[in-house]
Structure formats: C-alpha cells, structure tokens
Amino acid sequence: AFTNEEPPHFQTHLMGSWVYAHACKERGDRIEAAVALETMGCFSDELNSQHFPVAALAAAYPSTGNFISFIGDTTCRELIRRSVGVFRETTKFPCEGASLPASIPGVHWSDHWAFVQHQYPALMVTDTAPFRYAHYHTEKDTVDHVDFQRLARVVDGVDRVVEALVK
C-alpha cells in the first residue's frame, strides 16, 4: 500500500512506490516481481461493456468486461505469462494477460510503473476500470458497484499467483 499514486504525484519521484523502489535499488535489493493490485471489483456480462485505449486491442481481447487482467509493459512479458498461467490453472475465472508497449494509455497506470523504472519486473492486476466502468473516479464510484462474489474469486486466484511467484 503506497501513497501518492494519484495526480498530482502520479508517475513522479513523489509516488510512494517510486520512493520505495528507488530505495530498494539503492540498497541492491533483489525483487523478483512486483504485483500492483489496481481496481478489481467491476465486472459486466454485457456485450461491448469492455473498451480499449487503442482499437487494435479490441481485435485481440474480449468485448465483455467480465475478466481480470494481468498487464505490464514489454519488459515484463515473462512475469505476465507465468502469472496468467498460474491464475488460469488454479482459478475458474476469466483472465487475460497483456504485455504491451508502455506508450499505450493505461499500461503504466499503477504502482508497478515505479518498479519498472528501477528495472524490476512488475505488473498490475486490474479489471481495467476506466475502460469498462462509467463511474471510475466520479462521485458515483461507490461500494454498491463492487461485485464482491467475483472479487473474492479473483483475490483467491491472485493469492495463488503470489504463492507461485515466491517459490
């Protein structure tokens, strides 16, 4: 749990995750993986409820926003592949993985960005909130929009992924 992930500190040296990752790098800490838990409670079974920051992604990923995503930049491809593999093997829940260029909007919209900046493998686990959830960062972004049953399944699956990563 890091402070200052939101603007005006977003993607600056004032982000708590950046301060931490920088200190780890200075000490020479060995970090195998950083897993940032981003928004994870919004799911929809409606067709075309999932949107994408670039049109090319729509051809490769589902148009129904009922899945969880493991997302990172191209430097973290192996971490994403392994994480998605463990999640799919252990958890009955739709899951997608994406290793994308950092220039695509959303790829670095979480604390994992700070770890990548310090050459640590990192990804975020997300429901892709701003690309499927109309209330993201508005006054209507309230707890009654969280699907707790699905979220619990995701949390169980992410727990299994973390367990596998530390072995």
Side-chain angles (χ1 to χ4, degrees):
F2 297 108
T3 62
N4 296 340
E5 190 261 352
E6 298 290 340
H9 305 297
F10 178 67
Q11 292 192 343
T12 73
H13 68 280
L14 297 175
M15 279 179 66
S17 54
W18 194 96
V19 171
Y20 179 76
H22 182 73
C24 290
K25 195 60 150 182
E26 291 285 307
R27 287 189 305 266
D29 292 353
R30 192 175 132 214
I31 296 177
E32 297 294 324
V35 178
L37 304 178
E38 192 49 57
T39 55
M40 300 192 316
C42 178
F43 305 99
S44 174
D45 293 319
E46 290 182 33
L47 189 61
N48 298 319
S49 56
Q50 181 68 49
H51 307 284
F52 299 93
V54 293
L57 295 175
Y61 294 98
S63 62
T64 302
N66 64 351
F67 59 91
I68 197 71
S69 299
F70 290 76
I71 298 175
D73 70 25
T74 56
T75 68
C76 302
R77 180 173 287 124
E78 180 54 30
L79 173 60
I80 295 165
R81 187 199 62 73
R82 184 172 176 211
S83 298
V84 168
V86 170
F87 190 91
R88 287 180 176 166
E89 182 180 297
T90 64
T91 309
K92 291 187 179 205
F93 196 87
C95 168
E96 297 293 335
S99 173
L100 301 166
S103 59
I104 293 179
V107 170
H108 276 167
W109 288 357
S110 192
D111 287 301
H112 69 296
W113 168 85
F115 291 88
V116 171
Q117 299 307 299
H118 291 88
Q119 290 74 52
Y120 291 120
L123 58 77
M124 74 172 146
V125 182
T126 180
D127 63 15
T128 75
F131 302 112
R132 74 166 65 152
Y133 177 55
H135 306 300
Y136 182 70
H137 282 194
T138 71
E139 290 180 6
K140 293 181 180 180
D141 188 3
T142 56
V143 70
D144 57 305
H145 295 287
V146 175
D147 185 328
F148 287 101
Q149 289 186 345
R150 290 191 208 190
L151 178 58
R153 290 171 48 205
V154 168
V155 170
D156 284 344
V158 171
D159 181 56
R160 291 181 192 107
V161 169
V162 171
E163 285 178 12
L165 291 175
V166 298
K167 288 182 179 178

PDB file of all heavy atoms in Angstrom, residues 33 42 47 54 66 95 98 126-127 154:
ATOM      1  N   ALA A  33       9.531  -9.875  -8.395  1.00  0.00           N
ATOM      2  CA  ALA A  33       8.310  -9.406  -9.042  1.00  0.00           C
ATOM      3  C   ALA A  33       7.581  -8.422  -8.134  1.00  0.00           C
ATOM      4  O   ALA A  33       7.549  -8.612  -6.919  1.00  0.00           O
ATOM      5  CB  ALA A  33       7.391 -10.573  -9.366  1.00  0.00           C
ATOM      6  N   CYS A  42     -15.074  -4.459 -10.577  1.00  0.00           N
ATOM      7  CA  CYS A  42     -16.129  -4.128 -11.538  1.00  0.00           C
ATOM      8  C   CYS A  42     -16.127  -5.139 -12.676  1.00  0.00           C
ATOM      9  O   CYS A  42     -15.134  -5.283 -13.398  1.00  0.00           O
ATOM     10  CB  CYS A  42     -15.910  -2.725 -12.088  1.00  0.00           C
ATOM     11  SG  CYS A  42     -17.130  -2.247 -13.314  1.00  0.00           S
ATOM     12  N   LEU A  47     -22.437  -7.573 -23.501  1.00  0.00           N
ATOM     13  CA  LEU A  47     -21.630  -7.482 -24.706  1.00  0.00           C
ATOM     14  C   LEU A  47     -21.234  -6.017 -24.938  1.00  0.00           C
ATOM     15  O   LEU A  47     -22.043  -5.110 -24.704  1.00  0.00           O
ATOM     16  CB  LEU A  47     -22.419  -8.016 -25.901  1.00  0.00           C
ATOM     17  CG  LEU A  47     -21.651  -8.191 -27.200  1.00  0.00           C
ATOM     18  CD1 LEU A  47     -20.499  -9.189 -27.024  1.00  0.00           C
ATOM     19  CD2 LEU A  47     -22.590  -8.668 -28.296  1.00  0.00           C
ATOM     20  N   VAL A  54      -6.737   1.625 -27.395  1.00  0.00           N
ATOM     21  CA  VAL A  54      -6.398   1.644 -28.816  1.00  0.00           C
ATOM     22  C   VAL A  54      -7.216   0.564 -29.516  1.00  0.00           C
ATOM     23  O   VAL A  54      -7.424  -0.527 -28.976  1.00  0.00           O
ATOM     24  CB  VAL A  54      -4.888   1.439 -29.076  1.00  0.00           C
ATOM     25  CG1 VAL A  54      -4.085   2.624 -28.565  1.00  0.00           C
ATOM     26  CG2 VAL A  54      -4.375   0.162 -28.459  1.00  0.00           C
ATOM     27  N   ASN A  66     -15.982  -9.004 -18.257  1.00  0.00           N
ATOM     28  CA  ASN A  66     -16.192  -9.926 -17.134  1.00  0.00           C
ATOM     29  C   ASN A  66     -14.907 -10.650 -16.727  1.00  0.00           C
ATOM     30  O   ASN A  66     -14.955 -11.669 -16.067  1.00  0.00           O
ATOM     31  CB  ASN A  66     -17.260 -10.952 -17.489  1.00  0.00           C
ATOM     32  CG  ASN A  66     -16.840 -11.846 -18.640  1.00  0.00           C
ATOM     33  OD1 ASN A  66     -15.829 -11.614 -19.298  1.00  0.00           O
ATOM     34  ND2 ASN A  66     -17.634 -12.864 -18.897  1.00  0.00           N
ATOM     35  N   CYS A  95      -9.636 -14.637 -17.440  1.00  0.00           N
ATOM     36  CA  CYS A  95      -8.388 -13.913 -17.204  1.00  0.00           C
ATOM     37  C   CYS A  95      -7.711 -13.606 -18.536  1.00  0.00           C
ATOM     38  O   CYS A  95      -7.686 -14.458 -19.428  1.00  0.00           O
ATOM     39  CB  CYS A  95      -7.489 -14.785 -16.333  1.00  0.00           C
ATOM     40  SG  CYS A  95      -5.803 -14.239 -16.210  1.00  0.00           S
ATOM     41  N   ALA A  98      -1.618  -9.176 -20.850  1.00  0.00           N
ATOM     42  CA  ALA A  98      -1.164  -8.307 -21.932  1.00  0.00           C
ATOM     43  C   ALA A  98       0.190  -7.701 -21.581  1.00  0.00           C
ATOM     44  O   ALA A  98       0.336  -7.039 -20.554  1.00  0.00           O
ATOM     45  CB  ALA A  98      -2.185  -7.206 -22.193  1.00  0.00           C
ATOM     46  N   THR A 126      -5.835  -5.917 -12.734  1.00  0.00           N
ATOM     47  CA  THR A 126      -6.872  -4.897 -12.831  1.00  0.00           C
ATOM     48  C   THR A 126      -8.104  -5.392 -13.581  1.00  0.00           C
ATOM     49  O   THR A 126      -8.007  -6.278 -14.429  1.00  0.00           O
ATOM     50  CB  THR A 126      -6.319  -3.633 -13.544  1.00  0.00           C
ATOM     51  OG1 THR A 126      -7.345  -2.645 -13.634  1.00  0.00           O
ATOM     52  CG2 THR A 126      -5.796  -3.950 -14.930  1.00  0.00           C
ATOM     53  N   ASP A 127      -9.226  -4.764 -13.274  1.00  0.00           N
ATOM     54  CA  ASP A 127     -10.433  -5.008 -14.057  1.00  0.00           C
ATOM     55  C   ASP A 127     -10.515  -4.010 -15.217  1.00  0.00           C
ATOM     56  O   ASP A 127     -11.509  -3.966 -15.910  1.00  0.00           O
ATOM     57  CB  ASP A 127     -11.690  -4.956 -13.178  1.00  0.00           C
ATOM     58  CG  ASP A 127     -11.925  -3.595 -12.548  1.00  0.00           C
ATOM     59  OD1 ASP A 127     -11.314  -2.586 -12.963  1.00  0.00           O
ATOM     60  OD2 ASP A 127     -12.729  -3.531 -11.603  1.00  0.00           O
ATOM     61  N   VAL A 154     -11.321 -13.623  -7.648  1.00  0.00           N
ATOM     62  CA  VAL A 154     -10.100 -13.013  -8.178  1.00  0.00           C
ATOM     63  C   VAL A 154      -9.024 -12.966  -7.095  1.00  0.00           C
ATOM     64  O   VAL A 154      -7.865 -13.319  -7.332  1.00  0.00           O
ATOM     65  CB  VAL A 154     -10.381 -11.598  -8.728  1.00  0.00           C
ATOM     66  CG1 VAL A 154      -9.086 -10.847  -9.018  1.00  0.00           C
ATOM     67  CG2 VAL A 154     -11.248 -11.678  -9.977  1.00  0.00           C
TER      68      VAL A 154
END
